[in-house]
Amino acid sequence: MDQALSHPHIISLAAGFTDNPSLPVEETREIVQELLADERLARPSLQYGSTLGDAALRRRTVDRIRDGDFAALKSTAEDAGGRLNESIYQPQSLQITHGSQQILYMLTEVLFDPGDIVLVEDPTYFVFLGMAQSHGLRCRGVRMTPEGIDVGHLETVLQSLRKAGELPRLKMLYLVSYSQNPSGVTTSLARKAEALRLLRSCEKHAGHTVYLLEDAAYRDLRFRGSDVASALVLPGAAKRVIYTSTYSKPFATGIRVGYGLMPAALGRVVTRIKGNHDFGTAHLLQRIVIRALESGRFDGHLTALQRRYGQKAAVMGRALREQCGDLLEWVEPSGGLYYWARLRGRGTSGPKSRLFKAALKEDVLYVPGALCYADDRTRLKPDNELRLSFGNASEEHIAEGIARLGRAIRSLRGR
Amino acid sequence: MDQALSHPHIISLAAGFTDNPSLPVEETREIVQELLADERLARPSLQYGSTLGDAALRRRTVDRIRDGDFAALKSTAEDAGGRLNESIYQPQSLQITHGSQQILYMLTEVLFDPGDIVLVEDPTYFVFLGMAQSHGLRCRGVRMTPEGIDVGHLETVLQSLRKAGELPRLKMLYLVSYSQNPSGVTTSLARKAEALRLLRSCEKHAGHTVYLLEDAAYRDLRFRGSDVASALVLPGAAKRVIYTSTYSKPFATGIRVGYGLMPAALGRVVTRIKGNHDFGTAHLLQRIVIRALESGRFDGHLTALQRRYGQKAAVMGRALREQCGDLLEWVEPSGGLYYWARLRGRGTSGPKSRLFKAALKEDVLYVPGALCYADDRTRLKPDNELRLSFGNASEEHIAEGIARLGRAIRSLRGR
């Protein structure tokens, strides 16, 4: 932010902002008109709702998750032991929040004491790391592969925790399972099944439930490939899987509505905390989302948005190949807002690196990859990666930003 | 809530909901139309804002607080040493939140460690007590008088904390200073000045700043009498006064926008916490409030709302005199949403009392006064008071609800 203000011509490939031109202006205008012109809907939309969230929105949301899981299970040949468990998709188990960030925050408050351990992916969503740190948690990183979490490494980490007598402090594995921020990786159901099995096998030594928190914030933003069923379909999910996601990124980020589906006992505690935070999410926003869903505008907009991000991703991919093919390596994402790139050869990308400064001099900004790794002293933290967002920048700026980045890298290698 | 669901004919004088028929349906419809029809405003309204809050809203908000304080100082003969300090009313010191509840929560997170002490009024806002309890705080109650906090008792409490060596654990005095929830009392500037002076005199022994948190949630909802300047005008306010309020209750509770104005160093920590909670309050809601303020609709609606609550308060006052004059005593509120009534003679009003059950049998619900007192074992907790809300119930239901309450009290005395 500071950097962007002091460099007015900067192209930011760093921000997690979403695409501006495609924001659903007309849809939202119509929706609010319809809501406030309807005698039965107008006043309730402007009054407090309940702490748990609007009943109609909770019903639609659990149905949506269930239908997604059902379709994903049906369409795949992979048999990872997933079976739809209808009793999980219940409106009373769903908490509506002010964006999905808030549900992550409240879960961190509820599940952890300072000094407790959370397992995260290497790399992971850096805001979660900041939140975990501010609550005094210890994070342990688990390696990633292109199919998602490295279950072999997960097993090794769990074994080392067991040997150190630390399993009683382990509370949760945090998995950003769809088009992950930052790596773009989608975790296969088989990986999720194996991860959940490993967590369950630790519970006896832990002395309590070890939760799998599946953050599906980018599930809707897939522009290629097939959907994957959530961990909710796995054996034992009812007691230990928490599924969080958001309506903000797939519709409009100015309308903050997120949610979490979780075991009932945990849900009751989270709802009490939500009451203390803010009594419940602004009702007008929830009603806008309900109407967007009911009227088909949500899905219509989402289809267009997926296409748009697919195009923008293609623009960034082409620019990377043309400008940085010899400088960086990356995997094409199939959804989300990011490319995750690694410097070929030597060199670092951190906020104090020569590259970061050279990029600033070229007026382009990226997120240094090291920020996406937990402070976990049991392994080295890679410092040669970059998160490059195609979410907010225009196609022209994406291409120009990557060209500038290429010049910045080259300027250092030329020396 | 449970009670209301299982008694469909119940009249609730308990809920803190606001008046339904007067909700600004047309105003909000026009505002959203104008916002989303304006090329410059539409997309930013639907995009993420900043964590601190919209700059235009912050500017308008600090100006509004300053103008209110200026006018209140000018119109009063009382000289409590208040002087407008322009340097306090700065947009960068204001944090926008998802309702004012959220700023109270974040301040509790930031300022306190478990076991720390907060001073509260006897009685006080019961949701704050729940929040304090969930953070493991110790609450000490300070008596109230019709002019606000009893400064003599405050001095006694501070002395006893000093003797017990507990001042280092004292962090804050929480004051609901305008048309207090639940008592209806507005604290005079002289009382606030004396309270602040007492807090300052403790800081040497405390070893840190002792904050005065002025919760002005009901300041706009005054329907009689004059406004009082906030504690921001008092000597030493810049370092230790936190002022919180909301746009939700005076406009529409479905639009949750609150704020806190506080010393800069504290504000930076709060903003970091806000980033962890939710990155910032939904931008669409902030833009609706800005336009409501700019267009004059906010103040137009507020004037009508004040008149409406004044009428509803008058209806409740008349019903109380006619139905409960011999059973209850109370002071007429000059703003807010509540009557605070005390049983004449013997009898208790708690959730397990015969009165509460008799009232339920008559299909009327109130908030037992004891819920509004901190768990403070250094004094007895009164258990013969009732909070009666005229916010949400219709005028007809207010009159009928009070009649039922009268019958319930009489049914017990008849025995």
Side-chain angles (χ1 to χ4, degrees):
Chain A
M1 192 65 158
D2 289 346
Q3 301 287 7
L5 285 175
S6 55
H7 294 71
H9 302 296
I10 213 158
I11 292 179
S12 176
L13 305 177
F17 277 40
T18 54
D19 187 59
N20 238 341
S22 60
L23 283 163
V25 173
E26 263 321 296
E27 291 90 330
T28 307
R29 212 152 79 101
E30 289 167 15
I31 285 168
V32 174
Q33 282 308 293
E34 290 165 16
L35 272 181
L36 296 182
D38 186 325
E39 189 67 29
R40 292 164 309 127
L41 301 176
R43 288 192 175 82
S45 302
L46 295 179
Q47 182 59 274
Y48 285 125
S50 70
T51 302
L52 196 54
D54 190 284
L57 181 57
R58 288 186 287 112
R59 161 58 66 194
R60 284 210 163 250
T61 303
V62 292
D63 287 354
R64 196 175 165 85
I65 305 168
R66 189 198 54 213
D67 293 352
D69 283 346
F70 181 74
L73 277 178
K74 235 179 93 172
S75 70
T76 179
E78 177 194 34
D79 186 2
R83 299 286 174 273
L84 210 66
N85 176 355
E86 292 283 348
S87 73
I88 284 183
Y89 305 89
Q90 296 301 323
Q92 65 270 25
S93 304
L94 189 99
Q95 173 67 54
I96 301 288
T97 51
H98 184 234
S100 67
Q101 179 74 17
Q102 194 189 36
I103 186 77
L104 299 181
Y105 191 87
M106 295 194 309
L107 287 165
T108 308
E109 274 188 283
V110 165
L111 291 176
F112 296 92
D113 292 314
D116 279 352
I117 298 167
V118 59
L119 304 181
V120 298
E121 292 158 298
D122 260 348
T124 189
Y125 174 43
F126 61 81
V127 178
F128 182 83
L129 293 175
M131 202 158 61
Q133 196 184 351
S134 84
H135 280 105
L137 311 191
R138 289 180 290 161
C139 296
R140 288 291 296 265
V142 180
R143 281 200 290 265
M144 289 282 276
T145 76
E147 285 76 47
I149 190 163
D150 179 337
V151 285
H153 189 232
L154 174 61
E155 190 165 12
T156 306
V157 171
L158 291 171
Q159 275 165 359
S160 83
L161 288 177
R162 182 173 164 187
K163 274 185 200 148
E166 293 269 39
L167 278 184
R169 303 307 300 269
L170 174 66
K171 300 291 177 67
M172 190 174 98
L173 165 63
Y174 174 65
L175 219 56
V176 186
S177 52
Y178 296 89
S179 304
Q180 198 224 29
N181 175 3
S183 72
V185 167
T186 294
T187 308
S188 69
L189 185 59
R191 291 289 173 98
K192 291 192 273 200
E194 184 58 15
L196 189 60
R197 198 190 60 73
L198 288 169
L199 295 181
R200 289 178 74 176
S201 72
C202 291
E203 290 186 350
K204 208 177 135 193
H205 284 92
H208 53 245
T209 305
V210 179
Y211 292 94
L212 169 62
L213 169 49
E214 176 161 34
D215 178 348
Y218 295 89
R219 185 174 188 179
D220 277 335
L221 296 186
R222 182 175 45 78
F223 42 74
R224 196 185 308 137
S226 328
D227 191 26
V228 174
S230 77
L232 295 167
V233 305
L234 296 171
K239 280 192 179 164
R240 49 185 71 74
V241 171
I242 306 165
Y243 179 93
T244 67
S245 192
T246 179
Y247 286 115
S248 304
K249 281 196 173 64
F251 192 66
T253 45
I255 296 170
R256 308 293 312 280
V257 181
Y259 53 84
L261 182 61
M262 67 198 86
L266 177 60
R268 282 190 291 273
V269 185
V270 166
T271 302
R272 203 159 63 227
I273 295 280
K274 174 73 173 167
N276 284 340
H277 273 237
D278 60 13
F279 308 130
T281 300
H283 204 194
L284 179 62
L285 300 181
Q286 296 185 64
R287 290 291 178 112
I288 291 174
V289 171
I290 295 169
R291 192 148 195 105
L293 290 165
E294 280 175 355
S295 64
R297 289 186 185 96
F298 186 91
D299 285 324
H301 177 258
L302 182 55
T303 303
L305 196 63
Q306 289 162 344
R307 198 177 316 122
R308 174 132 187 92
Y309 283 130
Q311 284 163 354
K312 292 178 85 170
V315 169
M316 187 172 272
R318 195 176 320 121
L320 281 167
R321 285 191 299 277
E322 290 173 8
Q323 308 288 339
C324 302
D326 52 333
L327 307 170
L328 295 170
E329 53 186 8
W330 63 88
V331 175
E332 299 285 327
S334 55
L337 305 175
Y338 311 107
Y339 272 76
W340 181 245
R342 187 175 294 111
L343 288 167
R344 289 180 191 270
R346 296 172 58 181
T348 61
S349 59
K352 294 185 174 172
S353 67
R354 287 164 58 219
L355 175 56
F356 194 80
K357 285 169 197 156
L360 262 187
K361 211 174 139 199
E362 290 282 350
D363 272 335
V364 63
L365 209 59
Y366 63 85
V367 170
L371 298 181
C372 306
Y373 287 89
D375 279 328
D376 172 355
R377 288 171 189 184
T378 66
R379 56 99 180 92
L380 282 174
K381 198 189 262 203
D383 189 21
N384 63 342
E385 293 161 315
L386 305 84
R387 191 191 78 169
L388 303 168
S389 172
F390 49 84
N392 191 241
S394 67
E395 301 191 12
E396 194 190 335
H397 277 183
I398 289 170
E400 173 60 22
I402 296 296
R404 291 179 185 179
L405 180 64
R407 282 202 296 276
I409 303 174
R410 252 181 225 104
S411 74
L412 301 179
R413 306 217 163 161
R415 291 197 207 177
Chain B
M1 191 65 160
D2 288 346
Q3 302 288 7
L5 284 175
S6 54
H7 295 71
H9 302 296
I10 212 159
I11 292 177
S12 177
L13 304 177
F17 275 39
T18 54
D19 187 59
N20 238 341
S22 61
L23 282 164
V25 173
E26 262 320 296
E27 290 91 329
T28 307
R29 211 152 79 101
E30 289 168 15
I31 285 168
V32 174
Q33 281 307 292
E34 290 166 15
L35 271 181
L36 297 183
D38 186 325
E39 188 67 29
R40 293 164 309 126
L41 300 175
R43 288 192 176 83
S45 303
L46 296 179
Q47 182 59 274
Y48 286 126
S50 70
T51 302
L52 196 55
D54 190 285
L57 181 57
R58 288 186 288 111
R59 161 57 66 194
R60 283 211 164 251
T61 303
V62 293
D63 286 355
R64 197 175 164 85
I65 305 168
R66 188 198 54 213
D67 293 351
D69 282 346
F70 181 74
L73 277 179
K74 235 178 94 176
S75 70
T76 179
E78 176 193 36
D79 186 4
R83 299 285 174 273
L84 209 66
N85 177 354
E86 292 283 348
S87 73
I88 284 182
Y89 306 89
Q90 296 302 322
Q92 64 271 26
S93 303
L94 190 98
Q95 173 67 55
I96 300 288
T97 52
H98 183 234
S100 68
Q101 180 74 17
Q102 194 188 36
I103 186 77
L104 298 181
Y105 191 86
M106 296 193 309
L107 287 165
T108 308
E109 273 187 284
V110 165
L111 291 176
F112 295 92
D113 292 313
D116 278 352
I117 297 167
V118 59
L119 304 181
V120 298
E121 293 159 297
D122 260 348
T124 189
Y125 174 43
F126 62 79
V127 177
F128 183 81
L129 292 175
M131 202 159 62
Q133 196 184 349
S134 84
H135 280 105
L137 311 191
R138 289 180 289 160
C139 296
R140 288 290 295 266
V142 180
R143 282 200 289 265
M144 289 282 275
T145 75
E147 285 76 47
I149 190 164
D150 180 335
V151 286
H153 190 231
L154 174 61
E155 191 165 12
T156 307
V157 170
L158 291 172
Q159 275 166 359
S160 83
L161 289 175
R162 183 174 162 185
K163 275 185 200 148
E166 294 269 39
L167 279 183
R169 303 308 300 268
L170 174 67
K171 299 292 177 65
M172 190 175 98
L173 164 64
Y174 174 64
L175 220 55
V176 186
S177 52
Y178 295 90
S179 305
Q180 198 225 28
N181 175 1
S183 71
V185 167
T186 294
T187 308
S188 69
L189 184 59
R191 291 287 173 99
K192 291 191 273 201
E194 183 58 15
L196 189 60
R197 197 190 61 74
L198 289 169
L199 295 180
R200 289 178 75 177
S201 72
C202 290
E203 290 185 350
K204 208 178 136 191
H205 284 92
H208 54 245
T209 306
V210 179
Y211 291 95
L212 170 63
L213 169 49
E214 177 161 34
D215 178 348
Y218 295 90
R219 186 175 187 177
D220 276 336
L221 296 186
R222 181 175 46 77
F223 42 75
R224 196 187 307 138
S226 328
D227 191 26
V228 173
S230 77
L232 295 166
V233 305
L234 296 170
K239 280 192 178 161
R240 48 184 72 73
V241 170
I242 306 164
Y243 179 93
T244 67
S245 192
T246 179
Y247 287 115
S248 304
K249 280 195 173 66
F251 192 67
T253 46
I255 296 170
R256 308 294 311 280
V257 180
Y259 53 85
L261 182 62
M262 67 198 87
L266 177 59
R268 282 189 290 274
V269 186
V270 165
T271 303
R272 203 160 63 228
I273 294 280
K274 174 73 174 168
N276 283 339
H277 273 237
D278 60 15
F279 309 129
T281 300
H283 204 193
L284 179 61
L285 300 181
Q286 296 185 64
R287 289 292 178 112
I288 291 174
V289 171
I290 295 170
R291 192 149 195 104
L293 290 165
E294 281 175 355
S295 63
R297 290 185 185 96
F298 186 92
D299 285 323
H301 176 258
L302 182 55
T303 303
L305 196 64
Q306 289 162 343
R307 198 178 315 122
R308 173 132 188 94
Y309 284 131
Q311 284 163 356
K312 292 178 84 170
V315 169
M316 186 173 272
R318 196 177 318 122
L320 281 168
R321 285 190 300 277
E322 289 172 10
Q323 309 287 339
C324 302
D326 52 333
L327 307 171
L328 295 170
E329 53 185 10
W330 63 89
V331 175
E332 299 285 326
S334 55
L337 305 175
Y338 311 106
Y339 272 77
W340 180 246
R342 186 175 294 110
L343 289 167
R344 289 180 191 271
R346 296 172 58 180
T348 61
S349 60
K352 294 185 173 172
S353 66
R354 288 164 58 219
L355 175 58
F356 194 80
K357 286 169 195 156
L360 262 186
K361 211 174 140 199
E362 291 282 351
D363 271 335
V364 63
L365 208 60
Y366 63 85
V367 171
L371 298 181
C372 306
Y373 286 88
D375 279 328
D376 172 354
R377 289 173 190 184
T378 65
R379 56 102 178 91
L380 282 172
K381 198 188 262 204
D383 189 21
N384 63 343
E385 292 161 315
L386 304 84
R387 192 191 78 170
L388 303 168
S389 172
F390 49 84
N392 191 240
S394 67
E395 301 191 12
E396 193 190 336
H397 277 184
I398 289 171
E400 172 60 21
I402 295 296
R404 291 179 186 180
L405 181 64
R407 283 202 296 275
I409 303 175
R410 254 182 223 103
S411 74
L412 301 179
R413 305 216 164 164
R415 290 198 206 175

